[in-house]
Amino acid sequence: MSFSPRVPRSPTLGAPPRRSGLQSRSTQLLVLRFGWVVLVIWFEIGDFFASLSTCHFPDSQLRRRMPGGRKQAVVTPTHLVLLADPHVPHPRLSYPPDSRPLANWLKQRFDELFMRKSWNVVTRLGRIDGVIVVGDMLDWGRGVMSDAEYEDYHALFRSIFQLPPSVPMYFVPGNHDIPLGPNRLFSPHARERYAQHFSPPNAILPVANHSLILLDAIGLVEEDYRRYAAEMQFGEWDGVEGGVIEFVKALGDDPPPAPRILISHIPLARAEAASCGPLREHGRIQKGAGPGYQNLLGSETSRFLLEVLKPSLVFSGDDHDYCELYHPAGVKEVTLKSFSSSAGIRRPGFQLLSLVPPAPAPAGAESYPPQTTHADVPCFLPDQLGVYTRVYSPLALLTFAYLFATNVRAAWNRSSASLWDAKSRVSPNLVAAEQMPPMASVRERPVPLTLPSRKSAQHLAGLGMSVPTPRRANSVQAPGLGPQPTLLPSTPASPTTSPRPSFHNEPGPFAYPYPSDDLELGESQAVSASAAYAGGTSPNLSRRSSYAVMPDYLAPADAAGPGASYLLPLPGSSGGGTGLGLSAPAGGSMRRSLSSASVAVGGGGGGGLGAAPGMLHPNARRVTMPRLLSAHGWQVAARAKDRSVLGLVAERQGWSANLSPAGARAVLRWAWRARNGVVGKSWREALAVAWPAAVVWVLVNALFFIG
């Protein structure tokens, strides 16, 4: 036979090709980082501006004409912003005593952050002439605390809702600002503190020839409680001196200029089945009362207010959700949304109000025909809690799932490539599955006749190696050994298997132990091969698969210890090695083509495999090495069978529809071995993607706390 020098392995053989562009891992991580940064900037700032992009003061609804179709002179409307129930939380009193301080601190900062960002956008809507807060400015303003603590609490509210000095802010008391009913948790100084830091409870605010009545609804409910305790009818009750009913009766005796707009923290009474319109998120306003709160004013009290004050519009709060209805007298009442993100609604909101002075009556007319002098429109803020639960959290899970899935796929490809690389190192003539032509084209082409080549023998002879000369059938045999086999030069390697030697005339003790149950030849070929051996000839085995031989069996008998050469002696050499300077690794195994073992069959002297020159070791065993497919090879094979890669793997491994216990254990073992590589790398990449977005989130939101 003939030898050929080892072919240098291609630098890309057994390793996946280098990816570029979007297939590069660094590019993918960069795209994810950029996407998350853009996402954070949009939902932390851009979403607020987008939500209010269609929110404008309703000036266009106030266009009117004089009788006869003549246009009236242009009048600049007065712009008011109405807020309700901001509930600025107290750092200590707004949370249960047994709650965790860190959780309280985070919730406090998130509530403040939402109101700061929202108010920053509101102040950019255009010209604002005044702001009215319809109660519950402070979440625990009625609580027991020192004067200094209340000062700090009030300063926190003012730091959030900042306005230019020229823009006034007016207030209506709510049940969280002053106490409703007796309770040991309510401060007896709460009403006095409210009047000092905000405004008097009952007031009349003239704006654009309109009379805005800021009513103390909490005091009105307390008077109702006293009337119920005295068991008196509403008509018999004269009210408390300096109380709310006395204030309303005074307005009835000396009514302020019309139109009048009533602003009360507690909504007026209504029917149980009254609808709040399509803008409400859930339910209706139901009657109810408890320690420190009441959902609606009494029916008699509400009728009293509508009959005495005769308002053209009513604004209220306390319910936290939007509600719009018309009372029997045709008076429209709007219950404002809460401005807080912790009020139990998805989208907080506020109201914009435009006012124009009523036109004077024409000359000779007692009154001017009905005209529109005020218009309001609701505005809704973004769902900040939904941003974290329905945007950030799902996208974070999808990002990690993508990183984990791609890392699992890369680990699978690397494992397949490493196995192929181990095979290619021992059999350099093997080619990767990606370099093979399609199987269909291979089958269609005729198979050329493989002839022995002497070029490799001549080439090795030039390298100084001794090459055995092929023996003819009538050559002289070695005495006492019987006829010697004729060794032909090895044929070219198959694209999918390693080369095997060609044996001819192998009778007697040199007959190669060829098993009849070889899986590659099949039963019929195995029988014919056995018959050929019996007749003294053997088939050409040049396209057989490779075999693995343990080095303990290959080592010479006189040098079987550690450090012995695991390469067989060359023909005509002596000793236990080949002279190539390679030593056998202790306890390891070597994958060899049988063409290497054929050297021992034709070699002479030197011990060879141990017993007699040219004979295989009696305990030598052969292990058929299966073909190793790469990831692309699995894909090609699955596509040829019109199946998925996982389905093909299950078929090759003999897995059933329900994974067998052995297969399940194998999968679990693989997952456990790969935990550090796949899971750890996925977490590291997830952190690499997350930290730029986290830095941007901190910087963007920190801007609203500065100044």
Side-chain angles (χ1 to χ4, degrees):
M1 65 178 295
S2 60
F3 291 88
S4 60
R6 181 173 180 176
V7 180
R9 190 169 69 92
S10 173
T12 61
L13 186 61
R18 184 182 298 275
R19 296 182 176 182
S20 60
L22 292 178
Q23 295 182 349
S24 174
R25 193 61 171 177
S26 59
T27 304
Q28 294 175 1
L29 295 179
L30 184 62
V31 170
L32 289 175
R33 292 191 191 102
F34 179 78
W36 269 101
V37 168
V38 173
L39 192 74
V40 167
I41 294 176
W42 170 254
F43 281 103
E44 296 302 321
I45 299 180
D47 194 23
F48 286 83
F49 288 93
S51 300
L52 301 180
S53 60
T54 58
C55 185
H56 307 284
F57 283 95
D59 297 345
S60 60
Q61 302 179 21
L62 300 178
R63 297 174 182 173
R64 60 185 182 272
R65 294 177 178 270
M66 294 290 291
R70 295 177 301 162
K71 291 184 179 180
Q72 190 184 22
V74 178
V75 178
T76 302
T78 301
H79 294 164
L80 297 179
V81 177
L82 282 79
L83 309 178
D85 302 276
H87 285 277
V88 175
H90 189 276
R92 177 177 58 86
L93 299 177
S94 294
Y95 308 102
D98 57 346
S99 58
R100 297 182 178 181
L102 179 59
N104 298 341
W105 184 86
L106 290 176
K107 189 177 184 303
Q108 176 85 14
R109 293 299 176 266
F110 271 98
D111 290 342
E112 293 182 24
L113 177 62
F114 177 82
M115 286 185 283
R116 289 179 186 274
K117 291 192 290 187
S118 301
W119 184 246
N120 185 277
V121 178
V122 170
T123 56
R124 301 173 187 272
L125 291 178
R127 177 177 50 87
I128 298 177
D129 299 312
V131 177
I132 301 177
V133 186
V134 190
D136 285 353
M137 284 72 68
L138 305 177
D139 182 64
W140 204 250
R142 61 187 177 183
V144 177
M145 65 186 76
S146 63
D147 293 339
E149 194 173 3
Y150 191 90
E151 290 283 349
D152 296 338
Y153 198 11
H154 175 261
L156 176 61
F157 173 86
R158 293 289 186 176
S159 67
I160 296 175
F161 298 95
Q162 299 183 19
L163 284 172
S166 60
V167 179
M169 180 177 285
Y170 307 96
F171 305 95
V172 175
N175 59 308
H176 283 258
D177 302 314
I178 56 180
L180 176 59
N183 194 302
R184 63 180 182 85
L185 299 177
F186 299 160
S187 173
H189 307 288
R191 181 174 288 272
E192 180 183 355
R193 290 169 176 170
Y194 171 83
Q196 293 177 354
H197 293 83
F198 292 101
S199 63
N202 295 297
I204 299 176
L205 180 64
V207 178
N209 294 340
H210 289 69
S211 297
L212 276 64
I213 303 173
L214 308 182
L215 188 69
D216 179 14
I218 310 304
L220 187 59
V221 172
E222 284 188 337
E223 290 198 41
D224 281 345
Y225 289 168
R226 294 185 181 184
R227 179 174 61 85
Y228 294 150
E231 299 181 352
M232 298 179 63
Q233 298 296 326
F234 191 86
E236 302 174 353
W237 180 258
D238 294 331
V240 180
E241 182 179 358
V244 182
I245 292 181
E246 183 179 295
F247 169 76
V248 174
K249 288 182 177 180
L251 293 180
D253 297 336
D254 185 14
R260 306 180 190 95
I261 298 177
L262 175 62
I263 302 178
S264 167
H265 178 69
I266 302 177
L268 303 182
R270 63 202 63 195
E272 291 288 344
S275 175
C276 289
L279 297 180
R280 186 175 178 84
E281 293 187 9
H282 49 77
R284 292 186 291 266
I285 302 179
Q286 304 290 338
K287 292 182 180 180
Y293 76 93
Q294 182 170 314
N295 294 340
L296 296 172
L297 294 176
S299 57
E300 293 181 345
T301 305
S302 301
R303 189 181 307 112
F304 168 72
L305 294 175
L306 293 175
E307 291 176 354
V308 174
L309 299 178
K310 296 180 174 61
S312 58
L313 180 63
V314 178
F315 288 107
S316 59
D318 186 65
D319 186 65
H320 297 174
D321 204 351
Y322 188 83
C323 185
E324 182 177 331
L325 62 84
Y326 287 84
H327 292 281
V331 179
K332 174 185 175 182
E333 179 180 357
V334 176
T335 302
L336 307 181
K337 274 205 165 191
S338 172
F339 199 76
S340 172
S341 61
S342 301
I345 54 176
R346 289 182 54 250
R347 300 192 62 181
F350 57 95
Q351 204 82 3
L352 298 181
L353 176 64
S354 295
L355 303 173
V356 293
E366 295 182 358
S367 63
Y368 191 79
Q371 54 184 305
T372 303
T373 62
H374 52 76
D376 63 281
V377 61
C379 298
F380 303 108
L381 297 168
D383 181 11
Q384 188 69 3
L385 181 61
V387 169
Y388 290 92
T389 59
R390 290 189 287 271
V391 178
Y392 288 161
S393 298
L395 290 181
L397 292 177
L398 287 177
T399 301
F400 182 79
Y402 168 77
L403 295 175
F404 181 76
T406 51
N407 284 329
V408 168
R409 181 181 178 183
W412 176 270
N413 293 340
R414 285 195 301 270
S415 62
S416 300
S418 62
L419 291 175
W420 178 262
D421 183 69
K423 186 177 179 67
S424 61
R425 287 178 182 273
V426 180
S427 298
N429 290 327
L430 295 176
V431 295
E434 293 82 352
Q435 304 174 3
M436 294 176 56
M439 297 302 297
S441 60
V442 174
R443 295 191 187 100
E444 294 174 358
R445 292 182 297 179
V447 180
L449 180 61
T450 302
L451 297 177
S453 174
R454 300 179 182 274
K455 181 178 180 180
S456 58
Q458 297 174 0
H459 181 68
L460 289 178
L463 295 177
M465 296 184 182
S466 59
V467 182
T469 303
R471 301 177 183 271
R472 300 186 180 275
N474 54 358
S475 59
V476 180
Q477 307 298 329
L481 292 179
Q484 296 290 333
T486 301
L487 300 180
L488 299 179
S490 63
T491 56
S494 168
T496 58
T497 58
S498 299
R500 290 288 305 276
S502 299
F503 289 89
H504 294 276
N505 303 329
E506 296 183 355
F510 295 98
Y512 191 79
Y514 193 77
S516 61
D517 57 347
D518 194 296
L519 299 178
E520 290 188 347
L521 290 181
E523 184 178 357
S524 60
Q525 296 185 19
V527 173
S528 61
S530 301
Y533 275 103
T537 60
S538 63
N540 191 309
L541 306 178
S542 61
R543 296 187 180 272
R544 291 293 312 283
S545 61
S546 303
Y547 290 82
V549 184
M550 304 302 293
D552 295 338
Y553 300 136
L554 293 175
D558 55 350
S565 173
Y566 62 81
L567 293 180
L568 299 177
L570 292 176
S573 63
S574 60
T578 60
L580 298 180
L582 299 177
S583 59
S589 62
M590 183 192 68
R591 179 190 178 281
R592 297 179 56 84
S593 171
L594 196 57
S595 57
S596 301
S598 64
V599 179
V601 177
L609 285 173
M615 293 185 63
L616 290 173
H617 194 280
N619 295 327
R621 58 194 182 107
R622 301 176 300 111
V623 180
T624 303
M625 300 294 291
R627 180 188 174 193
L628 302 178
L629 291 179
S630 63
H632 179 72
W634 281 107
Q635 295 175 1
V636 172
R639 193 180 303 114
K641 291 191 175 185
D642 195 18
R643 302 191 61 178
S644 64
V645 176
L646 293 179
L648 183 61
V649 172
E651 179 183 354
R652 294 286 183 90
Q653 299 295 332
W655 296 343
S656 58
N658 297 325
L659 193 63
S660 62
R665 287 193 297 269
V667 172
L668 292 177
R669 283 195 300 269
W670 176 85
W672 179 256
R673 289 194 301 267
R675 70 189 187 281
N676 294 330
V678 175
V679 179
K681 183 179 180 182
S682 300
W683 276 114
R684 290 192 298 270
E685 291 178 346
L687 293 177
V689 172
W691 76 262
V695 171
V696 171
W697 186 92
V698 171
L699 294 178
V700 166
N701 292 313
L703 296 176
F704 296 96
F705 288 91
I706 299 177

